[in-house]
Structures are given as C-alpha cells and as structure tokens.
C-alpha cells in the first residue's frame, strides 16, 4: 500500500512538472511571438516616420525657394512705392504675388498614431525617442513663425487691399493703391517676417536631417 502511494505521488509530481514545463514553454513562445510582432511593428513605424519626414523636408526645401522669390519681389516693390515712379501693372502683380501664402502642413499621422496608441513605448532607444519628440516640438515653433507671417498678410496687407485701394483706377491706366506710404511700411514689415520664416524653415530642414539620421541608425 505504501509503495502504491509513493508511486502515485511520483506520478503526480511528474505530471505537475510536465505541466509547469509546458506552461513555461508556451509562455516563452508567446512572449517570443509578441517580441517579434513588436519588432515588426516598431520597424514599420520607423519606416513610415522616415517617409513622412523626408516628404516634410522636400516641402520645406520648396518653401525656401518660394520665400526667396517673394523676398526678391518685395525688394522690387519697396523702391517703387512713394517715389516718383508711376504705378504700373507689374507693381500690382507683385503686390498680389506676395499675398499668396507659403504654407507648411507636416505629415504627422504616423507620429500622432505613435502617441495616441501608446506605441511610442516600442521605441526603447532613449536618444531616438527624444529625437522624435524634439523634432515635432520644433514643428510647433516653425508653425508659430508661419502663423505670424500669415497674420500680417491677412490683417494688414489684406485689409489694405480692401480699404485703401481704388480698383476703378485700373481701366484708366492708373495704379489702384492710394496710400503708398502705408503699403510700403506693410511690405517692409513683411520682409522681416520672411526672414524669420526662412530661418525657421532652415531649422526645420536641419531637424529633419537629424531625425532621419537617427532613424537610419535604428533601422540598420
């Protein structure tokens, strides 16, 4: 009877050990599968993020070109206003050319998904995570400079074109701008905000380069 009980205990103990080993293996396999899944998801996030930032960089480069052209236009407008030169169609075309905004809308869907889903925790590299967060914080500062410039166009130049221009003068071959000193001051103010806008855009490009380099290092 004692031998039978002892054998039963040995059998039971062996079964328990087998179950524990089985659970441990299953848990390890699940954890390994989760790690592989997380690794693939992280890689996909970084690949998409790099694509977004490269597209942003391209747009910022184009913005630099557009800002340079508008600065040249401003330099052509200022000497004509409040001078002995008569207004002509070129002046009017130049004024309306600087009314058009140079905008920047970053591609931030991947970043927002990372933040809102909580998946930013997948990126364990502190330096890379910091670079990502700093980059999009830089975009906020860039947006402020763009907003100030746009506000100047809307609130001052736009208001001037509505309230201080007589477009009935155009069919008579005359320029429509009535208060040239006021217009000249507005254009001069715009040149300052163009400088700020261009400086912010260059910093945005530099920020893109830094983040792209960090992502490349993580992917390779």
């Amino acid at each position: 009877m004692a031998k039978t009980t002892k054998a039963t205990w040995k059998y039971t103990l062996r079964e328990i050990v087998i179950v524990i080993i089985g659970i441990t293996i299953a848990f390890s396999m699940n954890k390994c599968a989760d790690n592989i899944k997380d690794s693939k998801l992280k890689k996909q996030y970084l690949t998409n993020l790099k694509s977004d930032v490269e597209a942003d960089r391209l747009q910022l480069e184009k913005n630099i070109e557009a800002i340079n052209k508008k600065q040249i236009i401003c330099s052509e407008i200022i000497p004509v206003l409040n001078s002995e030169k008569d207004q002509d169609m070129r002046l009017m075309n130049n004024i309306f050319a600087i009314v058009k905004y140079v905008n920047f809308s970053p591609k931030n869907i991947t970043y927002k998904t990372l933040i809102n889903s909580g998946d930013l925790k997948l990126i364990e590299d502190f330096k890379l995570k910091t670079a990502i967060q700093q980059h999009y914080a830089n975009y906020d500062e860039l947006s402020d400079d763009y907003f100030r410039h746009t506000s100047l166009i809307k609130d001052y130049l736009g208001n001037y074109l509505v309230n201080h221009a007589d477009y009935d003068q155009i069919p008579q071959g005359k320029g429509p701008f009535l208060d040239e000193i006021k217009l000249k001051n507005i254009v001069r103010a715009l040149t300052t905000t163009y400088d700020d806008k261009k400086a912010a855009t260059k910093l945005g490009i530099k920020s893109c380069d830094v983040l792209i380099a960090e992502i490349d290092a993580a992917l390779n």
Side-chain angles (χ1 to χ4, degrees):
M1 180 71 177
K3 291 183 178 180
T4 302
T5 302
K6 186 176 181 180
T8 301
W9 273 108
K10 285 184 178 180
Y11 175 80
T12 302
L13 182 61
R14 185 179 65 182
E15 290 297 313
I16 291 173
V17 170
I18 291 173
V19 170
I20 291 173
I21 292 173
I23 292 173
T24 302
I25 292 173
F27 179 78
S28 298
M29 290 179 66
N30 286 337
K31 187 174 182 180
C32 183
D34 287 340
N35 288 339
I36 292 173
K37 181 180 178 181
D38 287 348
S39 180
K40 288 182 178 179
L41 183 59
K42 172 186 171 183
K43 185 176 181 180
Q44 188 61 58
Y45 270 126
L46 292 179
T47 300
N48 291 348
L49 196 62
K50 180 183 176 182
S51 178
D52 289 348
V53 176
E54 286 176 335
D56 287 344
R57 191 188 189 287
L58 182 60
Q59 182 59 55
L60 290 170
E61 287 280 6
K62 290 180 179 178
N63 283 9
I64 290 287
E65 294 177 7
I67 291 170
N68 285 337
K69 290 178 180 177
K70 289 184 182 294
Q71 285 182 311
I72 291 172
I73 292 173
C74 287
S75 68
E76 293 175 351
I77 291 172
I78 291 172
V80 175
L81 292 172
N82 194 36
S83 68
E84 295 180 357
K85 298 179 181 178
D86 292 331
Q87 296 181 21
D88 55 20
M89 289 301 297
R90 183 179 180 184
L91 173 63
M92 189 169 68
N93 290 337
N94 281 344
I95 292 294
F96 282 103
I98 62 173
V99 169
K100 298 177 182 178
Y101 313 140
V102 178
N103 287 324
F104 174 63
S105 298
K107 296 183 180 299
N108 55 10
I109 297 299
T110 303
Y111 177 69
K112 286 185 175 180
T113 303
L114 266 173
I115 298 299
N116 295 334
S117 66
D119 285 339
L120 188 63
K121 67 180 182 294
L122 297 174
I123 301 173
E124 298 175 348
D125 185 325
F126 180 76
K127 186 179 179 183
L128 174 58
K129 184 183 293 186
T130 301
I132 293 171
Q133 293 174 316
Q134 182 60 57
H135 174 72
Y136 286 94
N138 291 341
Y139 276 172
D140 290 337
E141 294 181 14
L142 183 150
S143 178
D144 289 341
D145 285 304
Y146 272 59
F147 177 77
R148 280 192 292 271
H149 176 80
T150 302
S151 295
L152 183 60
I153 292 176
K154 288 181 177 179
D155 298 339
Y156 290 89
L157 184 55
N159 177 68
Y160 175 91
L161 294 176
V162 171
N163 298 305
H164 299 278
D166 181 3
Y167 298 102
D168 290 335
Q169 299 269 35
I170 296 175
Q172 302 173 30
K174 299 179 181 179
F177 309 121
L178 304 179
D179 188 342
E180 293 190 24
I181 294 178
K182 185 180 184 71
L183 181 55
K184 191 172 188 176
N185 289 336
I186 292 172
V187 175
R188 278 179 172 156
L190 277 175
T191 60
T192 300
T193 58
Y194 274 127
D195 287 337
D196 294 341
K197 194 173 184 178
K198 184 161 69 172
T201 304
K202 288 180 177 179
L203 288 176
I205 292 172
K206 184 178 180 180
S207 181
C208 288
D209 289 338
V210 169
L211 183 52
I212 289 170
E214 290 292 339
I215 293 174
D216 282 340
L219 290 174
N220 296 328

